[in-house]
Amino acid sequence: MVDILHRVGVETPAPDKVYEALATVDGLRGWWTGDTEEHDGKLQFRFPAGGFDMEVVEARPHERVAWRVVDGPEEWVGTTISWDLRQEGGYTIVLFKHEGWREPVEFMHHCSTKWATYLMSLKSSVETGKGAPAPNDVHVDDWD
Amino acid sequence: MVDILHRVGVETPAPDKVYEALATVDGLRGWWTGDTEEHDGKLQFRFPAGGFDMEVVEARPHERVAWRVVDGPEEWVGTTISWDLRQEGGYTIVLFKHEGWREPVEFMHHCSTKWATYLMSLKSSVETGKGAPAPNDVHVDDWD
């Protein structure tokens, strides 16, 4: 079992803004992809090269959001993505996990780096009001 | 066993510049930390908050660099860090692995995100001549 793990600290006095950025369609549009929709209880994230459908399996206000991937690249389907939030002084700490990868394939290396840039986009979207969601995202390699 | 994995693609016609950025003190100063020295065959990387000593265990020109951590935070000592390079069209693909972590502690989440930002700094140092090495690095959270 191999997981993608990340940690960012968002400078904000309480976790409500980070939670909104993760748990609302408008929030998600601000840092992951501008093409985010919710249909039949599923979140649909679309990018120039494809997309992901997620089922929200947990949404505990200001504490935790978790999704299960129900459609997308085969390496992603069945994996889970979670965000644990807690406040420490002037920072909302975000612990991110993308778990359930079957193999540490090269695509997983790419997704790990890419998640980091999107987490920095999330941080920036809350701190400054301006993230870098697709299609204006940071490119990390030739698969981007 | 949990590993940190990343992938970046550096826009450059051949892997020699990326290799130099990983295998020479001057190169390393350009993207990881300005305070890099080599003493007694060990690389010493220093940051405002501490540092790491690495033994170079592999240096295959234009293909692979690997280090073993011999001093630094206890979670790092004994772990290995490797960089595999290959050319694909106009990109040098860098596959990064930081292996041998005993537990997926919170510090590992931090290091995973932080490595991603330093890999982007490496990419930028080769592509534009300007990286973001410490102490001018990108801050990801309150531990930075």
Side-chain angles (χ1 to χ4, degrees):
Chain A
M1 189 72 92
V2 283
D3 304 329
I4 296 173
L5 308 175
H6 287 297
R7 182 188 199 270
V8 292
V10 182
E11 286 196 70
T12 182
D16 53 312
K17 282 193 182 163
V18 176
Y19 184 76
E20 272 167 38
L22 295 169
T24 68
V25 168
D26 263 1
L28 291 160
R29 283 181 183 150
W31 65 269
W32 200 19
T33 174
D35 189 353
T36 300
E37 302 282 350
E38 189 165 9
H39 284 300
D40 300 329
K42 287 193 188 66
L43 290 166
Q44 300 181 327
F45 301 101
R46 294 294 176 267
F47 301 81
F52 314 104
D53 287 5
M54 312 279 192
E55 205 172 73
V56 178
V57 291
E58 223 174 327
R60 235 163 43 222
H62 307 176
E63 286 182 14
R64 182 176 162 87
V65 169
W67 303 325
R68 184 170 42 233
V69 182
V70 293
D71 203 0
E74 61 168 334
E75 295 93 337
W76 278 51
V77 174
T79 62
T80 58
I81 292 160
S82 64
W83 317 76
D84 283 292
L85 314 182
R86 69 170 195 273
Q87 194 65 23
E88 281 199 359
Y91 286 87
T92 299
I93 305 300
V94 181
L95 284 187
F96 169 91
K97 293 186 174 63
H98 185 172
E99 299 173 285
W101 290 78
R102 285 172 291 274
E103 297 291 335
V105 291
E106 192 160 333
F107 182 49
M108 185 182 173
H109 294 64
H110 163 86
C111 293
S112 175
T113 314
K114 195 74 191 175
W115 270 128
T117 64
Y118 280 124
L119 279 153
M120 295 304 285
S121 168
L122 164 66
K123 173 174 162 68
S124 168
S125 79
V126 172
E127 290 176 353
T128 71
K130 191 168 163 48
N136 302 310
D137 49 318
V138 173
H139 291 187
V140 305
D141 61 23
D142 57 330
W143 288 349
D144 239 353
Chain B
M1 189 72 91
V2 283
D3 305 328
I4 295 172
L5 308 175
H6 287 297
R7 181 188 199 269
V8 293
V10 182
E11 286 196 68
T12 182
D16 54 311
K17 283 193 182 163
V18 176
Y19 184 77
E20 272 168 38
L22 295 169
T24 68
V25 168
D26 263 1
L28 290 160
R29 283 181 183 151
W31 66 268
W32 201 19
T33 174
D35 189 352
T36 300
E37 303 282 350
E38 189 165 9
H39 285 300
D40 302 329
K42 287 193 188 67
L43 290 167
Q44 301 181 325
F45 301 101
R46 295 294 176 271
F47 300 81
F52 314 103
D53 287 4
M54 311 278 191
E55 205 173 72
V56 178
V57 291
E58 224 176 325
R60 236 161 45 220
H62 307 177
E63 285 181 17
R64 182 174 162 86
V65 169
W67 303 325
R68 185 171 41 233
V69 182
V70 293
D71 204 359
E74 61 169 334
E75 296 93 336
W76 278 50
V77 174
T79 61
T80 59
I81 292 160
S82 64
W83 316 77
D84 284 292
L85 314 182
R86 68 169 197 272
Q87 194 64 22
E88 281 198 1
Y91 286 87
T92 299
I93 305 299
V94 182
L95 283 188
F96 169 91
K97 292 185 175 63
H98 186 171
E99 298 173 287
W101 290 78
R102 285 172 291 275
E103 297 291 336
V105 290
E106 191 160 334
F107 182 49
M108 185 182 173
H109 294 63
H110 164 85
C111 293
S112 174
T113 314
K114 194 74 191 174
W115 270 128
T117 65
Y118 279 124
L119 279 152
M120 295 304 286
S121 169
L122 164 65
K123 174 174 161 68
S124 168
S125 79
V126 172
E127 290 177 354
T128 71
K130 193 168 163 47
N136 302 309
D137 49 317
V138 172
H139 292 190
V140 305
D141 60 25
D142 56 330
W143 289 348
D144 239 352

